[in-house]
Amino acid sequence: MKNYLRLKGYLFLVVLTVFAFSSCDKEDDGTTDKETEAQSTIVQTAQNTDALSSLVAALTKADENENSDLVGTLNGEGTFTVFAPTNEAFTQLFKDLDGFDSLEDFDTPEKRGILATILQYHVVTGVAATAESLDNEQMIPTVQGEDVTIRLQDDTVFVQDATTMDAEVIIEDVTASNGIVHVIDKVLLPQAIIDALNEEETSTLVDIVVATDALSLLEEAVIKAGLVNTLNGEGPFTVFAPTDDAFVALLGILGDDYNSLADFDTEEEIALLRNILLYHVIPAKVLEADLAPGDVPTAFDGNSISVIASDDTFVIGDASDVNANITGTDIMASNGVAHTIDKVLLPQAALDFVASLQLKTIVEIAVETDDLSLLVEALQTANAGLVETLSGDGPFTVFAPTNQAFKDLLDFLGDDFKTLADFDTQDEKDLLVTVLTYHVVAGNAAFSNMLNNGDEIETFQGEDVGINIKNGTIHIEDATDDNATVVLEDVEASNGVVHVINKVLVPQAALDILFPPTPNIVELAQSVDDLSLLVDALIQADAGLVDALSGDGPFTVFAPTNKAFKELLDALGNNYNSLEDFDTTEEKALLAQLLLYHVVAGQAIPSSAITGHVELTTEQGEKIEAVAGHPIKIRDKTHVPAKVTAADNEASNGIVHIIDKVLLPQEIIDALH
């Protein structure tokens, strides 16, 4: 018997019969007696019989399908008669079936459906038929739907199926709690299975391609694109099959990077190959006689080919200017038809890909453009792999400053940067990298029609550039007050797009390096080693002083040196060896008041404003007196004034005068005594 696996029409019958059997009436007809009910079920009986292990395995295998529960049914209530084939019977069945050497070969839902149908043909429901109750030529309907016929000869019971060989009942009347079992020496086959297995096999479209020498490259392409299962499917399909010569011609068009189909090795290239092949497939059966002029949708969604009349035949048009000739027609397959053609049909996506192969990389474009020579020099001077990066796959969007833009930048930087070669230290090269990467958008080729007014686009450097479009002209906003203007847009590259601009874009990070921002009072103190104990005191006080002195201000702060704090600690005695000894709530509050006595809020008082004797109210509440002189002296509530050792340290939120003594208000003196 020939194994025929394409049983799509038959599967409907399989589903119906499996459902019917799984849902059969589990009520018995009252014929079983109490003795029978006390015995094992039919499945348990089979499980306990070595000669029926293959039957048990077959039931289990069939039940791997979601809609099958043969074991559960034959373990349940009801009354059944089962003709149970022996292990030898199953062995003989596998010898007779091509492609099935064991139960493991029933490895798809369709094949397990076939197995379930065969097993249902061995089951009669609603009666426990003993051998004595069977009549010669009696026809018995099975759960599968077809009848088996009983033949009696010399006290032996035979069971006729749809084949020419009967099964012999070798053990009769094995009773079970839910029916009766007759062991037989052959697996019974219904006519439906025989018809399906013996149906004439026709090659699929894939089989035809594999068997045709002139289509070997098409075979390779179908495998590489993962379309074997698709073209082995039910269909129907019409395939316009390019010959090997057609594929060789395509590879010639693609150039030196594509010497064989193996060079389609990236995800994007394989996806393109898949779409090209789907462009050759019509999801319908179209014979030569059915061809008519017009556009025909293909399996490549959204793409059609054209059937074009030419003399007394037809040619096939694609998105290119060259039509394909039909060289062979009506090659029939079980799932459609194939026609051979002398050209690989190209959708627009393929033409775009071919065009992209002719494009130069972003770096190549810059090298070949005279007005971008300083950009190329900058990339090389930075020596950070940017040339290699912008020669890579991308996609990138690059805002490319002209030579004049770089000259303007050098003028802006002053006499230390007369040429790009003056970026010669590592810090300066790093600065140049920061500027250059601010001109690159990675992962996207943003053509002008994709840019919208108000867009904020993240650059490879990390900061955003803004898009400002006025009267159809695109401007690029950086961290300065001057926008760049796009003077040449949409220069397409193989790995992205270039927009030429008239200004070098400068990110905030570069401005901070070139023109460091003025620190606030706390940052200033943190940057001066000799004020580290003042910073520690602000933190130890835990009164929000760090945040306050980082605020808007303005403030005037008289900042004691580390030596001044050490002298204070020495004066306080052994209980205060460090600022950490201010560790109780009361001591922290006292430390906060001490520090506030050094702060004048609401004004930033430079040394030039101190003339004569100037009385100042501190944030602690008490006053201090500033006395003009060289140096300026600050009088507190003690008899020893502090001297200003470094005046006029400007901060973004005030001014700091460094002093050589910790100022003491009366509140602190009283508390310490």
Side-chain angles (χ1 to χ4, degrees):
M1 285 175 276
K2 181 176 287 188
N3 171 23
Y4 182 70
L5 300 182
R6 287 169 296 281
L7 302 177
K8 303 299 183 183
Y10 181 66
L11 289 180
F12 181 69
L13 173 62
V14 170
V15 172
L16 284 182
T17 54
V18 170
F19 178 81
F21 185 47
S22 300
S23 306
C24 66
D25 185 5
K26 294 181 172 53
E27 295 295 331
D28 64 51
D29 62 353
T31 60
T32 56
D33 56 26
K34 294 181 180 179
E35 178 181 355
T36 301
E37 292 174 349
Q39 297 170 349
S40 300
T41 66
I42 289 173
V43 171
Q44 292 168 339
T45 298
Q47 290 171 333
N48 294 330
T49 305
D50 290 343
L52 299 181
S53 61
S54 292
L55 172 60
V56 174
L59 292 166
T60 303
K61 172 61 70 173
D63 279 354
E64 290 179 12
N65 279 0
E66 292 183 359
N67 60 353
S68 181
D69 187 21
L70 301 179
V71 172
T73 300
L74 293 176
N75 251 333
E77 298 179 1
T79 305
F80 305 102
T81 299
V82 173
F83 299 100
T86 62
N87 296 345
E88 289 77 13
F90 276 98
T91 299
Q92 186 59 48
L93 174 68
F94 298 141
K95 291 180 180 179
D96 293 338
L97 291 178
D98 293 339
F100 292 89
D101 297 324
S102 71
L103 287 169
E104 293 306 313
D105 291 326
F106 291 88
D107 54 4
T108 67
E110 290 83 1
K111 293 177 185 178
R112 289 191 290 272
I114 293 172
L115 180 60
T117 301
I118 292 172
L119 293 171
Q120 291 158 17
Y121 189 54
H122 293 72
V123 179
V124 178
T125 186
V127 62
T130 64
E132 185 177 84
S133 68
L134 298 174
D135 297 325
N136 192 40
E137 300 301 323
Q138 181 181 359
M139 299 178 67
I140 303 176
T142 68
V143 168
Q144 180 267 340
E146 298 182 42
D147 294 343
V148 293
T149 302
I150 303 301
R151 185 170 63 83
L152 304 179
Q153 182 179 338
D154 299 330
D155 295 327
T156 299
V157 178
F158 295 89
V159 183
Q160 293 180 338
D161 60 0
T163 71
T164 58
M165 182 178 297
D166 298 345
E168 179 180 350
V169 176
I170 57 178
I171 301 177
E172 303 173 349
D173 298 340
V174 180
T175 57
S177 63
N178 58 346
I180 198 165
V181 176
H182 302 291
V183 180
I184 57 176
D185 65 353
K186 174 184 179 290
V187 176
L188 305 173
L189 294 177
Q191 188 63 48
I193 293 297
I194 293 172
D195 291 344
L197 295 175
N198 286 333
E199 184 177 338
E200 181 180 356
E201 181 177 358
T202 303
S203 297
T204 67
L205 288 163
V206 172
D207 295 331
I208 290 172
V209 171
V210 171
T212 305
D213 291 340
L215 300 179
S216 62
L217 291 182
L218 176 58
E219 174 190 354
E220 182 181 347
V222 167
I223 294 171
K224 191 170 194 62
L227 290 174
V228 172
N229 290 338
T230 299
L231 295 179
N232 260 335
E234 184 176 359
F237 305 113
T238 297
V239 173
F240 290 99
T243 61
D244 288 351
D245 289 342
F247 274 101
V248 170
L250 173 64
L251 293 170
I253 293 173
L254 296 178
D256 293 340
D257 289 337
Y258 294 90
N259 297 310
S260 72
L261 290 171
D263 291 324
F264 286 83
D265 51 10
T266 68
E267 290 185 10
E268 293 77 11
E269 289 169 334
I270 292 173
L272 174 68
L273 181 61
R274 178 183 177 87
N275 287 335
I276 290 174
L277 293 175
L278 290 174
Y279 191 58
H280 292 73
V281 179
I282 297 172
K285 186 174 182 179
V286 181
L287 301 175
E288 179 184 21
D290 300 322
L291 292 174
D295 293 340
V296 182
T298 68
F300 180 17
D301 189 36
N303 289 264
S304 297
I305 57 175
S306 298
V307 178
I308 303 168
S310 177
D311 296 330
D312 58 350
T313 185
F314 295 96
V315 294
I316 306 300
D318 58 6
S320 75
D321 296 327
V322 180
N323 298 327
N325 296 304
I326 301 174
T327 58
T329 60
D330 291 350
I331 305 168
M332 304 304 296
S334 63
N335 59 343
V337 62
H339 311 292
T340 57
I341 55 177
D342 65 354
K343 173 185 180 289
V344 176
L345 302 174
L346 298 177
Q348 187 60 48
L351 295 182
D352 293 342
F353 175 77
V354 172
S356 72
L357 297 177
Q358 314 305 320
L359 296 173
K360 300 181 184 301
T361 67
I362 289 171
V363 171
E364 289 171 337
I365 289 173
V367 168
E368 294 180 4
T369 305
D370 290 341
D371 202 25
L372 298 180
S373 61
L374 290 184
L375 171 60
V376 174
E377 183 181 345
L379 292 169
Q380 294 169 336
T381 301
N383 193 27
L386 297 179
V387 171
E388 292 76 12
T389 298
L390 294 176
S391 297
D393 292 338
F396 304 106
T397 300
V398 172
F399 299 102
T402 62
N403 290 347
Q404 185 60 50
F406 273 101
K407 291 175 184 177
D408 293 342
L409 174 68
L410 293 170
D411 290 342
F412 173 71
L413 295 178
D415 292 340
D416 289 338
F417 295 94
K418 296 184 181 298
T419 70
L420 288 168
D422 290 328
F423 287 87
D424 51 9
T425 69
Q426 189 57 53
D427 286 344
E428 290 168 341
K429 290 179 185 291
D430 291 343
L431 172 63
L432 188 56
V433 170
T434 298
V435 171
L436 291 172
T437 53
Y438 188 55
H439 293 73
V440 179
V441 178
N444 184 22
F447 288 83
S448 59
N449 61 1
M450 300 168 60
L451 300 175
N452 300 301
N453 189 46
D455 283 351
E456 296 286 334
I457 304 175
E458 183 178 0
T459 68
F460 193 64
Q461 178 264 345
E463 297 181 46
D464 291 350
V465 293
I467 303 300
N468 185 324
I469 301 177
K470 293 181 179 179
N471 300 322
T473 300
I474 301 172
H475 305 277
I476 311 299
E477 299 174 340
D478 62 2
T480 72
D481 295 328
D482 297 322
N483 296 339
T485 299
V486 175
V487 296
L488 179 62
E489 61 190 38
D490 296 341
V491 181
E492 187 175 4
S494 62
N495 58 345
V497 64
V498 176
H499 303 292
V500 180
I501 57 177
N502 67 350
K503 174 183 180 288
V504 176
L505 304 174
V506 182
Q508 187 62 50
L511 291 177
D512 291 344
I513 294 171
L514 293 167
F515 310 102
T518 303
N520 62 41
I521 288 172
V522 173
E523 292 169 339
L524 177 61
Q526 290 172 328
S527 68
V528 178
D529 290 341
D530 203 24
L531 298 181
S532 62
L533 290 183
L534 171 60
V535 175
D536 290 346
L538 291 169
I539 296 171
Q540 184 67 24
D542 194 22
L545 298 181
V546 171
D547 290 339
L549 292 176
S550 297
D552 293 337
F555 304 104
T556 299
V557 173
F558 297 96
T561 62
N562 289 348
K563 182 180 178 182
F565 272 101
K566 291 176 182 176
E567 290 174 350
L568 173 66
L569 292 170
D570 289 343
L572 294 178
N574 293 332
N575 289 332
Y576 294 95
N577 296 311
S578 72
L579 290 167
E580 293 179 356
D581 290 328
F582 287 86
D583 52 7
T584 68
T585 301
E586 293 78 10
E587 289 170 332
K588 288 178 182 287
L590 192 67
L591 181 59
Q593 291 300 104
L594 175 67
L595 294 170
L596 289 172
Y597 188 57
H598 293 73
V599 179
V600 177
Q603 53 185 323
I605 305 169
S607 60
S608 59
I610 299 175
T611 58
H613 294 247
V614 180
E615 194 173 59
L616 303 171
T617 301
T618 69
E619 280 295 278
Q620 179 263 348
E622 298 183 44
K623 298 181 185 298
I624 57 175
E625 185 179 22
V627 181
H630 301 285
I632 295 172
K633 296 179 181 178
I634 309 298
R635 291 177 176 171
D636 59 2
K637 301 305 179 183
T638 70
H639 300 295
V640 180
K643 298 175 183 178
V644 175
T645 59
D648 298 331
N649 297 282
E650 292 187 6
S652 62
N653 60 344
I655 197 165
V656 175
H657 304 292
I658 298 176
I659 58 177
D660 65 353
K661 174 182 179 288
V662 176
L663 304 174
L664 296 178
Q666 190 63 49
E667 176 188 4
I668 299 299
I669 295 172
D670 293 344
L672 294 175
H673 292 82

